[in-house]
Amino acid sequence: MGVENGDVSTTNGHQDEDESTSNGDKTNGEYGTVIKPIDDAPKEEQAVENVFQVSVLLPHQPYKIQVPISTQAQIQDLRSAIVELPETFQYTCFHLEHNGQRINDFTEISDVKGLAADSEIKLFEDPYTEREARMHIVRIREIIGAAGDRIDSLNGIDAGLSLHDTVAPWTGLDAESAAKQKATGSKSAAEANPLANFSFNGLPSMQTLLAPNQEPNPKTIKSLSVSSWNPPPPSFRQRGHLLYLQLTTNEGEQFQITSHVSGFFVNKSSNTKFDPLPKTSPKAVTAHSLLSLIESLSPSFHASFNSLMEVNSKRDPLATFQLTSAIPSNPWLVSPVSSSATAHQPDLTRTQETYLLSGVENTETLRDWNEEIQSTRELPRETVQDRVFRARLLAKLCTEFNEAAAKGAVLVARGEVAPLNPTESKDAQIYVYNNIFYSYGADGVGTFTSEGGDEAARVAVGKDVVGVKAVNQLDIPGLSTPGTIIVDYLGKRLVAQSIVPGIFKQREPDEQQVDYGGVEGKDVVADNEAFVSSFAQVSKALKVKRHPVWDKERKKHVLEGSVETKGLLGTDGRKYILDLYRLTPLDVSWLDPYWTDSSGHDQKPKERNYPHRMSVLRPELVEAYWKVRMSEYVKAEFDKRKNGQDSDGDGKSPDPVSEAVTSGNEVVKSDSTPTTNEVDDEVAKEQGRIDISGFSFSLNPDVFCGQNPQTAEEKEEWANDERDVRAVADHLHQKIIPELIHDFREGVVGFPMDGQSLSDMLHKRGVNIRYIGKLASLAETENPRLKALKVLTEQEMIARAFKHIANRYVKSVPPAIAAACLAHLLNCLLGSELNHSPKAQLDEDLRDLYNDADFSFAEVTPTSLKAQIETQTQMRYRYTLEESWLTSIKSLQLLREVALKIGLQLVAKSYQYQPASQNQSDDARHLTNDNTTQPATNGHITNGASGKKKKKRNASPSSANASSVSEPPVTFVPDDIVNFVPLVKDSNSRSVLAEEALEAGRISMMQNQKELGQELLLESLTLHEQIYGILHPEVARVYHQLGMLYYTLGEKEAAVELAHKAVVISERTIGIDSSETMLSYLNLGLFEHAVENTVVALACMRHALELWKIIYGSNHPDCITTFNNAAVMLQHMKLFHESRVWFEVSYAISEQVSGKDSVNTATLAFQLAQALALDQDHKGAVNRMREAYSIFHNKLGPDDRNTKEADSWLDQLTVNAVSIARHAKDLQAQKIRRALFTPRVTLRTQPQAPVGLSSTDGLNGQAPPRVGGGLDNRSIDELMKYIESSGDANKKTPTKKRKNPRNRRV
């Protein structure tokens, strides 16, 4: 499939790697990104880009290659392009010359004198250093496939996995071929329908999340490792010897190789004799590149290497590229250890890679992280290209810091790093590893004693990372933040920060450790004018009010931020802002009824036992309320102007924000102002703009925190500040949460699928997770959507409660016992029906070895765990679970939530939650969590679960059978938990430049300026790729949004290509079973169907639906759209009976979700009637059409178009049914019957609504059609033509197709 009128050919919707530079555009060194300036930037900021070809002259074959370069790139980008070409794999140590002059690698192309199109650049091989030689060896091992799988503490099993290439037959049958095969009874007819035998209500297959076993890659050599003769003795080092290697070829020959400054050669050494001098003929082989040397020594190498390249070329490049700009996602289900996919292979060099990468002293990877981060932030930002380069370098640096910090945190958590203060308690110990500072997220020194102790400290460090991210996003010059992440691993929370210069400095007795803000809590407060201006910028942006605080001497200090926020002047002269966990005020509406200080009390009362006092309002809520106040202010000003009153704006108006606020001191029209292009000039001039410089609204973050104002004026101001904070909290309870419940009930927004999507949705609206208990209480109605919300919120509360309980037990046991601990707790949670009293499976030798460890987890029983979860749920969410919740949970979905929240990787197999004697309906209860069975209208829906268990050949034996015969069976054994992965929360900011272009494109599309909007959106895509690299979650989301845009604009091929990329990147960076990935698959199926690849589309739908069953279970409220789309696709393939089944399921779920008398259900009944007629069920067709007509008549009235259409169709169906009954002989004319009853929904599919977004939140501001949102306008004659011509009658004249969006020119 390719873009027909474009100048780039694509394969399977993806640009070939070799073609990424074929159009003359210079890449940025990462997978085909074209560097371009922003079109709407000031002309003096735009460097004129010139992309042209140059010739690179090589010292070896092919002696000359053509490489495209850009004047905006650097010579090092040209080097990267050269080493990635197959013809020049062998070169790593070289320099470039032009006109006899050596070119510096960091010189921009435009600065090279005389370099133009068709210029010649010569490549010269350089002498090696030891470091260059080591890097060359690592590079060649990766190229020839000799590098084994790396195992590290950060990336888990199958990290960055993509299933995209295995999901669908990307070159499969089209709809016409599938229909012909069915008609002829071909053996492949069943294969042509990927949805065949899909089980609507069966248990999901765990194989959905596993990559199928693949043939091993061609082996080019047997081994290549560092020789035991290393390092070279001084006598040979001064003769140019750098390293000694050992090579074993596929022919079984072993060679000892010397790495010399001049290249590589075979020496005379053996395993027992040392002689590193060159070997004499016939094995006297010398080469500058190790790749060339191996090719000369092994006769079979050339053929096997070409085979390896061919295998690699068949894979999607995005699925194989190494992630450099994001931490890869780790699947929670992995193949059993015994399977070939996870088999551990011997590789001696794996143990030597640290030496190869870091040198003998391991000093080459030590970096001054803080200096690098701050220096990068101080780079110039005057021009657009400066901003792009700065943002790109900062994103890469932050990713590298996050990876290094997370690896160190894992070592700290496992006890592999010695503390700096070993005499302190465990929670108070601090560490430094790899120039990164580590501490525990616990109250080791009593800072949070009055706030909740360890619970408060754990929350505070999480809020601190969010605060650092917010400040980083503001990007204020002159204000620095340390690199910061938090890592949750084995029940422990660690904070990792770059070391701020001077933070460990012992100051003089009269000096304070902090230069601005609270020094020792709020008792000692420091003032420093140098920090005021920078802190003021932060406060203004984050709606933080400048306010007074008082120290223990009752001295007044006016601060620009919370007293908890600190300013530190580093010894490097930079101003650092620290402790950003209190940027917003406390949520007093929560703390007043549910919190009390336990000081002096033995135990808190149950109704006031919330575990900490760090409950703050979300920034999104503050922003939303700020808009409300601004909107009121603007409306009041308009009213004054309308009434002829003079508005002078005293800055104290209690009014809020219009959606149309500009970034300056003016706001454009209010909500009542017309937004159409036909606004009268006079009216616009009269309304004009409103000056908002008089508006002011900000919050005091230190109210309700024990401050004591002294004077009456101060007390009055403090009371006003408290009133504002309470007003924001009231806005949450009276406006935000009720609107959210309303949107859920009415189906206005996409329904969340799991805990992550629910959390994201709540956070975007400013609702804290602690309010999910309130949501569950408000959802206790008969409305089906709210019932589903109640199930989901209860599941999330249980999973989070279990996480807190499990973390408490796991952090107190040694790492070697952690798997046994979690297995026992999971048995108590999910396996209590199989074994009512599971026993912890502990190795007694280990228990004796760790005799000082806490093994209290072994005493946990299902009853005690159930009580603990109920207590945690009541305490944290103010919600009381029903008594029978343990038997009504969805086991698989709860297991997934727990695994993702704790960081578990489990063996993928069918876990036994109940005794085998219980029937399938019990299993279905654990899947769907309701007592209703899947409707089976007309008896066509089958369970199909029996066939799912045949795919378990590679699964490990049942856990129940793994235990000894004398022991009762259990659901989980310690071996089922194969790995713990760290959960990382970073403080990386998003690119403001790319976000601005994306937002400008959205606004242009909403204003119907499509051409400008597309250009801006494409510019945003280019910026995202340049800044983040292609393999990044933000880039996946932009691909997804642009794909939707192109689909709505009718440019289907471009939409397909973007959707493919979105799927792969989402799988690798967000998760193979995340809700975003599932939605990307659904839209990919929709787009593939639009370009007539219906078989491929159905395969995508099948995979998405299998993921849906794993993520949520059956009967998700939004699955009606997907089922309807699948039915339409099957109908397009002339699979009318199969289509009818999917329409029936869609109709049945609509009856449950929307109600039997809803318009949505009526429209589905209309469509189902047509499908029944096509499937020869004329009586059923009449009955369904009569239902549709009755609902339309009652709901919409007799004059509505839908009612009239249903009436017309009902008459025709009735007459035809009578006619068929009277004239049985005429029934042989199949074409006549079909022509009369062709469904009007053929070829009409619609995108799945994104989770948490309404149907009007699309990029172009146009609402996609809803299920049942209108009927087809085609006549009977047109439908007859459709049947006779296999659906071509309704095709539109082909429109001009847009060029591939990934290959665009300025």
Side-chain angles (χ1 to χ4, degrees):
M1 177 180 60
V3 180
E4 295 176 7
N5 71 327
D7 53 0
V8 176
S9 173
T10 59
T11 304
N12 296 340
H14 298 287
Q15 180 181 328
D16 289 342
E17 185 179 12
D18 292 343
E19 295 173 348
S20 61
T21 58
S22 61
N23 64 345
D25 290 334
K26 172 69 187 79
T27 67
N28 73 341
E30 188 164 6
Y31 327 132
T33 301
V34 182
I35 301 176
K36 289 183 169 48
I38 292 185
D39 294 340
D40 59 346
K43 292 189 177 180
E44 62 270 20
E45 292 187 359
Q46 289 194 27
V48 177
E49 183 183 28
N50 188 11
V51 180
F52 55 89
Q53 297 272 355
V54 296
S55 299
V56 180
L57 305 182
L58 308 173
H60 307 291
Q61 288 185 349
Y63 299 115
K64 185 176 181 180
I65 59 172
Q66 297 289 323
V67 180
I69 60 175
S70 165
T71 55
Q72 297 180 10
Q74 294 182 338
I75 292 297
Q76 62 178 351
D77 295 320
L78 176 59
R79 285 181 61 101
S80 299
I82 291 173
V83 299
E84 292 296 335
L85 293 175
E87 299 88 347
T88 50
F89 275 157
Q90 67 193 70
Y91 302 105
T92 62
C93 184
F94 61 89
H95 73 271
L96 301 173
E97 292 186 5
H98 177 62
N99 291 336
Q101 299 293 320
R102 181 165 181 160
I103 312 174
N104 188 292
D105 289 344
F106 297 95
T107 303
E108 287 197 7
I109 300 292
S110 58
D111 295 335
V112 180
K113 189 175 181 179
L115 188 61
D118 300 325
S119 295
E120 290 189 347
I121 295 178
K122 290 186 178 181
L123 184 150
F124 289 89
E125 295 173 331
D126 283 341
Y128 288 96
T129 62
E130 183 193 324
R131 183 180 184 280
E132 290 281 1
R134 287 190 277 107
M135 295 301 103
H136 182 80
I137 293 167
V138 172
R139 165 77 173 161
I140 297 303
R141 276 173 47 84
E142 291 177 347
I143 289 175
I144 65 177
D149 293 334
R150 293 188 176 93
I151 298 175
D152 59 48
S153 56
L154 176 61
N155 299 328
I157 302 169
D158 289 336
L161 174 67
S162 173
L163 303 176
H164 170 271
D165 288 349
T166 65
V167 165
W170 302 116
T171 56
L173 299 169
D174 57 17
E176 185 176 355
S177 300
K180 288 181 179 178
Q181 288 189 349
K182 183 184 180 185
T184 58
S186 170
K187 185 178 180 179
S188 302
E191 299 175 3
N193 176 17
L195 291 180
N197 301 320
F198 177 79
S199 172
F200 293 99
N201 213 25
L203 294 174
S205 169
M206 298 301 98
Q207 299 299 312
T208 304
L209 302 183
L210 300 182
N213 291 332
Q214 298 178 344
E215 291 294 325
N217 290 338
K219 205 168 181 63
T220 56
I221 60 173
K222 287 189 176 179
S223 68
L224 174 64
S225 61
V226 178
S227 169
S228 58
W229 295 114
N230 274 291
S235 59
F236 285 100
R237 178 171 291 279
Q238 65 183 7
R239 297 168 65 176
H241 291 209
L242 304 174
L243 295 166
Y244 300 126
L245 309 176
Q246 183 171 300
L247 168 70
T248 304
T249 65
N250 281 344
E251 292 79 12
E253 289 189 87
Q254 187 178 92
F255 297 94
Q256 300 286 337
I257 297 173
T258 296
S259 171
H260 192 263
V261 292
S262 62
F264 298 83
F265 59 80
V266 179
N267 63 38
K268 299 178 183 178
S269 296
S270 66
N271 290 334
T272 57
K273 177 186 174 184
F274 178 65
D275 186 357
L277 297 178
K279 202 167 190 175
T280 56
S281 297
K283 297 295 184 180
V285 182
T286 303
H288 186 269
S289 171
L290 184 58
L291 185 66
S292 302
L293 184 73
I294 297 173
E295 189 170 5
S296 301
L297 295 175
S298 175
S300 64
F301 177 81
H302 182 74
S304 57
F305 183 64
N306 286 341
S307 299
L308 177 64
M309 294 296 100
E310 184 179 349
V311 170
N312 290 337
S313 66
K314 293 179 180 177
R315 298 172 181 167
D316 191 309
L318 292 179
T320 57
F321 285 146
Q322 184 177 357
L323 275 77
T324 58
S325 56
I327 295 177
S329 65
N330 295 295
W332 66 280
L333 286 178
V334 296
S335 301
V337 179
S338 59
S339 70
S340 60
T342 57
H344 193 49
Q345 302 296 334
D347 182 14
L348 178 62
T349 315
R350 187 163 51 220
T351 62
Q352 303 168 344
E353 277 197 342
T354 302
Y355 159 67
L356 289 173
L357 295 171
S358 308
V360 176
E361 302 296 332
N362 195 28
T363 57
E364 294 179 15
T365 55
L366 286 179
R367 302 164 64 175
D368 188 342
W369 292 106
N370 190 74
E371 181 60 31
E372 287 190 50
I373 292 173
Q374 309 311 332
S375 298
T376 303
R377 286 178 178 154
E378 292 166 357
L379 288 173
R381 60 178 92 180
E382 283 75 22
T383 68
V384 171
Q385 288 306 315
D386 285 343
R387 295 174 66 188
V388 171
F389 177 76
R390 175 178 176 272
R392 175 181 170 186
L393 191 59
L394 189 59
K396 181 176 183 296
L397 178 59
C398 288
T399 301
E400 293 170 349
F401 170 78
N402 294 344
E403 185 175 348
K407 288 180 179 179
V410 169
L411 294 177
V412 171
R414 298 182 70 89
E416 307 289 347
V417 181
L420 299 180
N421 53 342
T423 59
E424 301 286 344
S425 65
K426 184 71 175 176
D427 289 343
Q429 290 176 352
I430 57 176
Y431 308 80
V432 172
Y433 180 80
N434 197 10
N435 282 338
I436 299 173
F437 173 71
Y438 295 93
S439 60
Y440 285 103
D443 191 23
V445 294
T447 304
F448 296 96
T449 301
S450 61
E451 308 289 327
D454 288 346
E455 286 276 2
R458 184 182 181 92
V459 174
V461 296
K463 298 294 183 185
D464 182 42
V465 169
V466 175
V468 173
K469 190 170 190 173
V471 174
N472 287 342
Q473 191 68 39
L474 298 176
D475 202 10
I476 297 171
L479 188 63
S480 302
T481 59
T484 307
I485 68 168
I486 58 174
V487 179
D488 292 325
Y489 183 70
L490 291 177
K492 306 176 181 71
R493 171 163 287 188
L494 289 110
V495 188
Q497 294 179 305
S498 60
I499 301 175
V500 175
I503 196 169
F504 293 131
K505 176 185 175 183
Q506 292 296 327
R507 303 201 180 190
E508 298 297 329
D510 57 338
E511 282 188 294
Q512 295 173 338
Q513 289 294 114
V514 173
D515 297 292
Y516 188 78
V519 180
E520 300 173 5
K522 57 179 179 288
D523 292 338
V524 179
V525 181
D527 292 315
N528 190 325
E529 285 299 321
F531 286 86
V532 172
S533 61
S534 298
F535 273 53
Q537 294 180 63
V538 175
S539 298
K540 181 179 179 181
L542 300 179
K543 317 295 186 296
V544 177
K545 182 178 181 180
R546 177 185 173 94
H547 62 281
V549 296
W550 297 266
D551 58 21
K552 62 181 178 182
E553 304 296 334
R554 296 188 177 181
K555 180 181 178 181
K556 180 179 177 181
H557 304 265
V558 179
L559 298 179
E560 288 289 349
S562 169
V563 70
E564 305 290 350
T565 303
K566 300 172 178 58
L568 178 68
L569 188 62
T571 55
D572 57 356
R574 297 186 177 100
K575 290 176 287 188
Y576 291 88
I577 183 170
L578 308 172
D579 293 351
L580 294 164
Y581 52 82
R582 188 69 68 75
L583 291 178
T584 55
L586 295 174
D587 184 1
V588 65
S589 66
W590 181 270
L591 293 176
D592 277 353
Y594 304 134
W595 158 265
T596 185
D597 188 358
S598 59
S599 302
H601 297 81
D602 293 335
Q603 188 175 1
K604 294 183 180 182
K606 182 178 179 180
E607 63 276 5
R608 296 172 64 87
N609 64 345
Y610 195 67
H612 61 82
R613 199 173 184 270
M614 295 301 299
S615 304
V616 297
L617 300 172
R618 288 198 63 84
E620 297 91 343
L621 175 63
V622 176
E623 184 70 22
Y625 188 72
W626 183 88
K627 290 181 178 180
V628 171
R629 295 288 298 269
M630 171 65 82
S631 179
E632 293 173 359
Y633 177 86
V634 170
K635 290 177 181 177
E637 292 298 306
F638 267 123
D639 290 342
K640 288 181 182 180
R641 180 174 299 183
K642 185 177 180 180
N643 297 329
Q645 298 176 355
D646 181 24
S647 70
D648 54 0
D650 58 359
K652 301 296 182 181
S653 175
D655 324 298
V657 92
S658 167
E659 296 289 345
V661 181
T662 64
S663 58
N665 286 331
E666 293 184 336
V667 62
V668 231
K669 310 165 178 67
S670 71
D671 294 342
S672 61
T673 305
T675 58
T676 61
N677 295 329
E678 294 80 19
V679 175
D680 192 315
D681 291 340
E682 254 186 75
V683 175
K685 184 177 179 181
E686 179 185 345
Q687 292 181 339
R689 293 174 177 266
I690 293 298
D691 181 8
I692 64 171
S693 59
F695 172 77
S696 175
F697 176 79
S698 54
L699 297 175
N700 182 347
D702 287 326
V703 294
F704 307 109
C705 292
Q707 292 291 332
N708 296 307
Q710 303 299 306
T711 67
E713 183 180 353
E714 291 171 352
K715 291 179 180 179
E716 181 181 358
E717 181 184 3
W718 205 260
N720 291 334
D721 291 345
E722 290 182 346
R723 192 179 306 112
D724 285 341
V725 172
R726 289 188 183 276
V728 176
D730 291 341
H731 181 69
L732 172 67
H733 291 274
Q734 298 171 9
K735 184 76 173 176
I736 301 295
I737 293 179
E739 283 185 354
L740 183 62
I741 292 294
H742 171 271
D743 291 347
F744 277 132
R745 181 176 60 249
E746 302 301 325
V748 175
V749 296
F751 197 87
M753 301 178 188
D754 60 355
Q756 184 61 52
S757 57
L758 174 64
S759 300
D760 292 344
M761 184 177 182
L762 296 181
H763 288 164
K764 286 179 182 178
R765 298 207 177 196
V767 182
N768 302 85
I769 289 297
R770 58 179 171 269
Y771 286 106
I772 56 176
K774 182 170 183 176
L775 291 179
S777 299
L778 294 174
E780 291 179 350
T781 68
E782 291 302 315
N783 181 277
R785 292 181 66 89
L786 292 185
K787 289 172 68 175
L789 176 64
K790 181 174 181 288
V791 171
L792 186 59
T793 51
E794 285 185 344
Q795 175 180 287
E796 181 68 2
M797 285 186 282
I798 294 168
R800 288 175 175 268
F802 179 84
K803 177 192 72 172
H804 289 289
I805 296 167
N807 283 342
R808 187 174 72 248
Y809 286 117
V810 173
K811 73 177 182 181
S812 62
V813 301
I817 309 294
C821 174
L822 257 300
H824 177 65
L825 295 177
L826 288 174
N827 282 327
C828 293
L829 176 67
L830 299 173
S832 59
E833 292 189 44
L834 179 67
N835 187 331
H836 299 291
S837 55
K839 303 296 182 184
Q841 301 179 49
L842 271 174
D843 187 325
E844 292 301 325
D845 293 336
L846 284 178
R847 186 165 190 164
D848 295 338
L849 185 63
Y850 296 105
N851 52 18
D852 58 341
D854 182 4
F855 293 96
S856 58
F857 73 88
E859 302 172 4
V860 176
T861 65
T863 302
S864 66
L865 180 63
K866 179 174 180 287
Q868 289 186 62
I869 290 176
E870 290 171 351
T871 300
Q872 289 285 331
T873 304
Q874 172 62 35
M875 178 176 64
R876 294 180 184 276
Y877 310 112
R878 300 293 133 182
Y879 184 77
T880 302
L881 293 169
E882 297 177 0
E883 184 64 29
S884 61
W885 68 264
L886 190 58
T887 59
S888 60
I889 56 177
K890 296 187 284 187
S891 301
L892 175 63
Q893 286 70 39
L894 183 57
L895 176 62
R896 175 181 177 272
E897 293 291 347
V898 166
L900 293 176
K901 285 175 171 55
I902 298 179
L904 303 181
Q905 288 192 303
L906 301 161
V907 173
K909 64 181 183 181
S910 295
Y911 290 101
Q912 185 179 352
Y913 303 108
Q914 299 170 326
S917 60
Q918 296 196 22
N919 56 29
Q920 178 63 28
S921 63
D922 293 326
D923 293 333
R925 171 176 53 78
H926 280 272
L927 178 68
T928 62
N929 196 43
D930 58 36
N931 296 324
T932 60
T933 58
Q934 179 68 40
T937 310
N938 297 311
H940 292 294
I941 301 175
T942 58
N943 195 312
S946 60
K948 295 291 179 182
K949 297 183 180 178
K950 296 181 181 179
K951 297 184 179 181
K952 306 299 181 188
R953 294 195 305 267
N954 296 325
S956 61
S958 170
S959 299
N961 298 328
S963 56
S964 61
V965 177
S966 58
E967 294 285 339
V970 291
T971 303
F972 301 93
V973 295
D975 287 345
D976 290 332
I977 301 174
V978 295
N979 193 28
F980 288 84
V981 294
L983 305 178
V984 179
K985 298 179 182 178
D986 62 57
S987 57
N988 296 359
S989 59
R990 298 190 309 274
S991 168
V992 176
L993 192 62
E995 294 286 332
E996 286 174 351
L998 183 62
E999 187 62 27
R1002 285 191 182 124
I1003 293 174
S1004 297
M1005 296 302 297
M1006 293 177 68
Q1007 294 175 347
N1008 208 28
Q1009 301 176 10
K1010 293 186 178 180
E1011 186 173 349
L1012 174 61
Q1014 290 184 57
E1015 292 300 322
L1016 288 170
L1017 290 169
L1018 288 176
E1019 190 62 57
S1020 173
L1021 175 60
T1022 300
L1023 290 170
H1024 275 87
E1025 293 171 343
Q1026 288 182 354
I1027 291 168
Y1028 299 115
I1030 290 186
L1031 296 175
H1032 193 278
E1034 292 296 326
V1035 179
R1037 294 176 181 118
V1038 174
Y1039 279 143
H1040 179 83
Q1041 294 178 58
L1042 284 181
M1044 290 292 297
L1045 167 68
Y1046 279 114
Y1047 176 76
T1048 57
L1049 295 178
E1051 298 180 16
K1052 307 299 194 306
E1053 288 82 2
V1056 167
E1057 183 184 355
L1058 291 168
H1060 275 286
K1061 295 181 188 297
V1063 163
V1064 177
I1065 301 172
S1066 295
E1067 285 185 319
R1068 301 196 65 195
T1069 61
I1070 305 175
I1072 56 175
D1073 64 339
S1074 70
S1075 58
E1076 290 185 56
T1077 299
M1078 195 208 76
L1079 187 61
S1080 294
Y1081 267 112
L1082 288 175
N1083 285 338
L1084 175 58
L1086 188 69
F1087 303 163
E1088 289 282 6
H1089 170 67
V1091 294
E1092 300 297 321
N1093 292 333
T1094 305
V1095 174
V1096 172
L1098 290 174
C1100 294
M1101 301 284 281
R1102 173 71 180 252
H1103 183 72
L1105 289 170
E1106 294 289 355
L1107 290 178
W1108 209 329
K1109 288 202 290 185
I1110 293 174
I1111 297 171
Y1112 178 85
S1114 299
N1115 296 353
H1116 186 276
D1118 288 346
C1119 67
I1120 300 172
T1121 300
T1122 302
F1123 287 174
N1124 212 55
N1125 287 344
V1128 170
M1129 293 177 190
L1130 290 169
Q1131 201 173 75
H1132 177 77
M1133 295 175 65
K1134 307 299 182 185
L1135 301 176
F1136 296 120
H1137 178 71
E1138 292 82 354
S1139 173
R1140 160 196 180 156
V1141 172
W1142 285 80
F1143 273 126
E1144 286 172 342
V1145 176
S1146 180
Y1147 171 75
I1149 297 177
S1150 180
E1151 282 190 319
Q1152 296 180 17
V1153 173
S1154 302
K1156 293 185 177 182
D1157 296 330
S1158 69
V1159 175
N1160 279 352
T1161 302
T1163 307
L1164 287 170
F1166 186 99
Q1167 297 172 354
L1168 177 57
Q1170 297 171 327
L1172 291 171
L1174 281 175
D1175 199 34
Q1176 319 308 320
D1177 187 350
H1178 305 287
K1179 182 178 179 180
V1182 170
N1183 292 336
R1184 292 298 178 215
M1185 191 59 72
R1186 185 177 291 112
E1187 292 177 11
Y1189 170 76
S1190 176
I1191 297 173
F1192 284 147
H1193 187 274
N1194 294 334
K1195 295 287 186 180
L1196 304 178
D1199 297 328
D1200 185 82
R1201 184 177 64 87
N1202 290 332
T1203 307
K1204 293 179 179 179
E1205 289 238 358
D1207 186 30
S1208 175
W1209 273 92
L1210 180 59
D1211 291 341
Q1212 295 180 54
L1213 289 171
T1214 304
V1215 170
N1216 194 69
V1218 173
S1219 177
I1220 289 173
R1222 292 178 177 176
H1223 307 284
K1225 293 181 180 180
D1226 294 338
L1227 295 180
Q1228 304 303 320
Q1230 297 292 323
K1231 187 178 296 187
I1232 296 176
R1233 292 173 52 208
R1234 292 185 180 182
L1236 288 175
F1237 306 111
T1238 302
R1240 297 191 171 200
V1241 292
T1242 304
L1243 301 180
R1244 294 190 59 185
T1245 55
Q1246 52 191 312
Q1248 184 72 39
V1251 174
L1253 295 180
S1254 67
S1255 58
T1256 58
D1257 287 335
L1259 268 174
N1260 60 349
Q1262 297 175 356
R1266 297 192 54 185
V1267 178
L1271 306 176
D1272 208 324
N1273 294 325
R1274 285 175 292 174
S1275 65
I1276 296 296
D1277 293 337
E1278 288 176 315
L1279 296 175
M1280 186 181 300
K1281 290 179 182 178
Y1282 164 73
I1283 289 299
E1284 293 173 346
S1285 60
S1286 299
D1288 292 333
N1290 198 41
K1291 285 187 179 178
K1292 298 180 180 178
T1293 303
T1295 57
K1296 183 178 179 181
K1297 297 180 177 58
R1298 189 175 183 84
K1299 290 182 179 181
N1300 185 327
R1302 292 287 298 109
N1303 294 272
R1304 50 198 179 277
R1305 300 174 185 269
V1306 175

